[in-house]
Amino acid sequence: MLIVSPSITLPESELVERFLRADGPGGQHVNRTESAVELRFDVINSPSLPEEIRARLLARRDRRLTSEGVLVIQARRFRDQARNRDDVRERLVEIIRGVLVPPKKRVATKPTRASKERRLVGKQQRGRIKQARSRKPDLE
């Protein structure tokens, strides 16, 4: 079981892990061992996620989320598989925890009268500066 919050736990059966050969330093050893981990979590079909959390996860503009609603996370930070497994699971938990709190509603505001006045005065001054540049000197 992967514990996300007191009310949300993800069973191991919902997590699909695949082991890959990692790139980067390591010499010949890196060509023989599959230390990188790819974790797949089906957000759309997960019975463990509440509906509002699922909707917030799917609404995120995350490139790790496929068009089928599967979250794909890869970890190849460490040279051993066990640490990469822990890393990818921690990152999944952090992503889900990131959407637990609903975003605050934006309150529409209007500019104050003084800020409107300042803006207009600034525009007039700028216009006068530009106009002064374009005037031709009087030739007598």
Side-chain angles (χ1 to χ4, degrees):
M1 290 292 248
L2 195 60
I3 299 169
V4 178
S5 73
S7 60
I8 301 173
T9 54
L10 303 175
E12 293 288 329
S13 60
E14 290 187 35
L15 307 176
V16 178
E17 288 179 332
R18 199 176 86 174
F19 303 103
L20 320 157
R21 289 193 178 133
D23 51 358
Q28 293 174 349
H29 176 72
V30 80
N31 298 327
R32 286 192 296 249
T33 57
E34 295 185 338
S35 59
V37 180
E38 179 184 87
L39 179 90
R40 292 176 163 270
F41 176 63
D42 192 355
V43 177
I44 290 182
N45 299 319
S46 172
S48 307
L49 289 178
E51 197 57 46
E52 60 187 29
I53 304 296
R54 177 181 296 118
R56 278 192 230 131
L57 260 176
L58 293 171
R60 287 183 71 187
R61 299 244 177 230
D62 198 335
R63 58 183 165 78
R64 295 171 291 195
L65 197 61
T66 66
S67 57
E68 295 85 35
V70 177
L71 190 63
V72 181
I73 307 170
Q74 290 187 346
R76 50 174 43 112
R77 197 180 316 183
F78 304 106
R79 284 180 64 175
D80 59 313
Q81 193 181 81
R83 286 174 69 189
N84 279 330
R85 279 186 79 192
D86 293 340
D87 183 40
V88 80
R89 288 164 181 256
E90 286 172 22
R91 285 166 43 196
L92 173 65
V93 168
E94 288 305 312
I95 289 171
I96 296 173
R97 282 185 185 153
V99 297
L100 287 179
V101 179
K104 291 181 179 177
K105 288 262 187 180
R106 184 187 179 281
V107 178
T109 58
K110 289 183 177 181
T112 62
R113 176 186 272 167
S115 68
K116 286 182 191 176
E117 300 260 340
R118 282 191 301 268
R119 182 179 64 88
L120 293 175
V121 167
K123 285 170 72 83
Q124 288 170 354
Q125 287 174 346
R126 191 84 193 132
R128 281 196 293 269
I129 291 170
K130 290 184 176 189
Q131 223 172 24
R133 278 190 210 140
S134 65
R135 286 207 182 117
K136 294 187 173 73
D138 293 335
L139 297 174
E140 291 183 28

